[in-house]
């Protein structure tokens, strides 16, 4: 149990996928304009990464490893992720149309979000079992959601500030994200 807690804290805070590994920056920067949209993206990423971690771990352990096809893991993981994203997209389009429309092009981009593939490959590289893979995936996705929601909140607050012209738009967002990354470095003292 202690090992799972350490994996969860380490994945969510210490080794935050966006702020320390710099994976998944496209949706992090593109969807973080409003907290509502960022929260929706965070929830979609939590679902996709958690389920992808589980399915990838099961496929790797029970199909690829016994058949000595581990060299196919990247291709198989990409196919699993693409199928899951299509499922999420269809679900949102049918049930939560406003969120589907606000996410726009960034929802299909979860398929190519390197954070999702990065988690599946990290689980294999660290020789995590199925439960550890799911915990790592859930915690990593939660860390992504925390980071994107914090950045969205800061961006909403910055709209009312007087920012010098050269820093308006993406430059101030990059500076803010960099400061967030420095702040998250403070969590490295937890272990």
């Amino acid at each position: 149990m202690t090992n799972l807690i350490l994996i969860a804290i380490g994945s969510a805070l210490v080794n935050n996928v966006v702020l320390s590994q710099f994976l998944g920056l496209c949706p992090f920067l593109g969807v973080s304009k409003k907290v509502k949209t960022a929260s929706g993206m965070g929830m979609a990423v939590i679902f996709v990464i958690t389920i992808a971690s589980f399915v990838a771990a099961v496929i790797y352990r029970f199909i690829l490893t016994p058949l000595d096809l581990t060299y196919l893991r990247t291709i198989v993981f990409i196919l699993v992720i693409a199928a899951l994203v299509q499922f999420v997209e269809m679900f949102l389009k049918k049930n939560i149309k406003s969120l589907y429309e606000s996410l726009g092009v960034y929802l299909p981009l979860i398929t190519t979000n390197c954070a999702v593939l990065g988690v599946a490959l990290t689980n294999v590289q660290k020789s995590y079992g199925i439960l550890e893979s799911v915990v790592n995936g859930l915690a990593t996705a939660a860390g992504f959601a925390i980071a994107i929601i914090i950045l969205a909140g800061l961006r909403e607050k910055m709209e009312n500030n007087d920012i010098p012209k050269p820093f308006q738009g993406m430059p101030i967002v990059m500076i803010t994200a960099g400061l967030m990354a420095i702040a998250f470095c403070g969590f490295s003292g937890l272990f």
Side-chain angles (χ1 to χ4, degrees), residues 13 17 33 59 63 65 70 86-87 90 95 105 109 112 114 135 138 144-145 152 167 169-170 183 187:
L13 300 176
V17 70
K33 293 179 183 174
I59 289 172
I63 297 174
T65 302
T70 55
Q86 287 300 311
F87 172 74
M90 289 185 303
N95 297 316
V105 70
L109 283 178
T112 59
C114 54
V135 169
L138 178 63
F144 177 88
F167 293 105
M170 196 50 67
F187 291 120

Side-chain angles (χ1 to χ4, degrees), residues 9-86:
I9 292 171
S11 297
L13 300 176
V14 178
N15 296 317
N16 187 284
V17 70
V18 176
L19 299 174
S20 72
Q21 297 178 16
F22 308 112
L23 297 174
L25 290 176
C26 180
F28 176 69
L29 297 172
V31 183
S32 61
K33 293 179 183 174
K34 299 287 179 200
V35 172
K36 183 178 178 185
T37 307
S39 299
M41 176 59 92
M43 294 306 118
V45 168
I46 286 173
F47 177 79
V48 170
I49 288 182
T50 304
I51 301 300
S53 295
F54 172 74
V55 173
V58 169
I59 289 172
Y60 187 79
R61 182 169 183 187
F62 295 112
I63 297 174
L64 297 180
T65 302
L67 296 175
D68 198 27
L69 298 172
T70 55
Y71 59 90
L72 293 176
R73 68 178 173 246
T74 303
I75 295 168
V76 171
F77 294 169
I78 289 171
L79 293 173
V80 166
I81 292 164
L84 287 169
V85 170
Q86 287 300 311

